[in-house]
Amino acid sequence: MKIKILTLFPQIIETYFSTSIAAKAVEKGLITYEIINIRDFARDKHKTCDDAPYGGGAGMVLKPEPLGAALEASGAEQYRTIFPTPSGRLFHQSYATELAQEKTLIFICGRYEGIDQRIIDLYVDDEISIGDYILSSGEVASLVLIDSILRLVPGVIKAESLVDESITSGLLEYPQYTRPEVYKGLRVPEILLSGNHAMIQKWRYEQSLLKTKKYRPDLLRKGN
Ligand code: SAM
């Protein structure tokens, strides 16, 4: 998969792709990425990329010309182009699975009050919200989307690691423990030391149900 990210702050994105799972995926050739600095497409001597909103109001808006030129140079008309925004469709694991099928994805990182609507009208295929809260930057939101998509690309992480995960399984995941057996007086549940895999599975399922009832009863109502 190829991921292209249009941003005013390339260093935020670069750090992500040069670390941990993403860096390994790049090293293995499973993912390629391209960071496009929107400022490189600004034509005036101050490299201006934002301006005040028509109609007044607080904050600034990303201007259409530099962003539009950056999108055209990135092939936005032929590739699925995503704008993360709190006014978009709410993101979900199934949406990540759908996006993971694409060969190329383009992400636009908004800033300030957002981007000129005409850019959305002309180039954007998906406006996606990562949740009902406001971040100050589209870089963080894009990386949330990219990270959830990238781990679904075959070979990036072990397939069996994806199976029992929260949400994907329809429930929240059961509690996990590792060594030591006792930590600050708290023991690992005896059943996990028993070696009885059928009983462990049963315990995990029950724990998943309890946790889902407590934090996400909506998942149970959906019949997942
Ligand atoms: N004025 C915008 C509004 O009320 O919808 C919020 C702009 S926000 C301060 C700046 C940028 O952060 C947005 O353009 C978007 O790219 C990103 N952003 C903030 N919250 C987000 C969310 N919940 N989901 C996706 N992107 C978000």
Side-chain angles (χ1 to χ4, degrees):
M1 172 182 274
K2 176 149 198 176
I3 299 174
K4 302 183 184 210
I5 309 105
L6 280 64
T7 174
L8 287 171
F9 296 90
Q11 62 276 31
I12 301 177
I13 309 293
E14 192 57 64
T15 302
Y16 171 77
F17 279 103
S18 51
T19 318
S20 188
I21 290 175
K24 284 202 187 101
V26 171
E27 209 179 283
K28 286 191 207 162
L30 300 169
I31 302 287
T32 55
Y33 71 100
E34 191 183 338
I35 302 175
I36 296 116
N37 191 338
I38 301 165
R39 210 169 289 287
D40 291 344
F41 294 83
R43 290 284 157 257
D44 66 316
K45 83 169 189 240
H46 298 295
K47 298 271 175 199
T48 312
C49 287
D50 59 312
D51 207 337
Y54 275 117
M60 301 294 268
V61 175
L62 287 194
K63 286 167 69 59
E65 303 96 321
L67 185 50
L71 281 162
E72 270 165 31
S74 312
E77 276 138 352
Q78 70 193 101
Y79 302 123
R80 193 151 173 186
T81 299
I82 295 164
F83 174 50
T85 165
S87 60
R89 183 176 149 204
L90 205 54
F91 197 54
H92 187 269
Q93 186 64 28
S94 55
Y95 206 162
T97 306
E98 180 195 323
L99 293 173
Q101 313 307 314
E102 298 284 340
K103 287 210 160 40
T104 303
L105 289 172
I106 298 180
F107 290 85
I108 304 171
C109 302
R111 278 264 157 182
Y112 321 117
E113 290 309 315
I115 66 176
D116 190 289
Q117 179 61 36
R118 290 164 291 184
I119 291 292
I120 298 172
D121 297 342
L122 287 168
Y123 301 104
V124 170
D125 298 300
D126 302 65
E127 293 179 83
I128 306 180
S129 167
I130 63 160
D132 289 342
Y133 43 82
I134 306 294
L135 304 168
S136 51
S137 116
E139 283 75 14
V140 173
S142 291
L143 288 177
V144 167
L145 298 174
I146 290 167
D147 194 71
S148 67
I149 295 164
L150 182 148
R151 65 199 297 284
L152 298 176
V153 171
V156 172
I157 59 174
K158 285 192 195 119
E160 65 258 33
S161 300
L162 301 173
V163 176
D164 263 353
E165 288 186 312
S166 295
I167 310 298
T168 312
S169 69
L171 296 173
L172 302 185
E173 197 181 59
Y174 47 81
Q176 299 274 14
Y177 295 87
T178 185
R179 274 182 280 271
E181 246 179 77
V182 184
Y183 174 68
K184 296 198 174 180
L186 298 177
R187 293 196 74 82
V188 171
E190 211 57 49
I191 187 80
L192 297 178
L193 310 173
S194 69
N196 183 333
H197 294 295
M199 291 301 285
I200 291 172
Q201 283 301 98
K202 184 170 173 284
W203 179 87
R204 285 181 166 166
Y205 178 68
E206 286 163 1
Q207 293 296 316
S208 277
L209 269 182
L210 284 174
K211 203 162 181 194
T212 310
K213 267 186 202 153
K214 184 172 176 188
Y215 291 123
R216 294 293 305 276
D218 57 302
L219 294 178
L220 297 172
R221 282 195 295 273
K222 271 188 209 157
N224 286 328

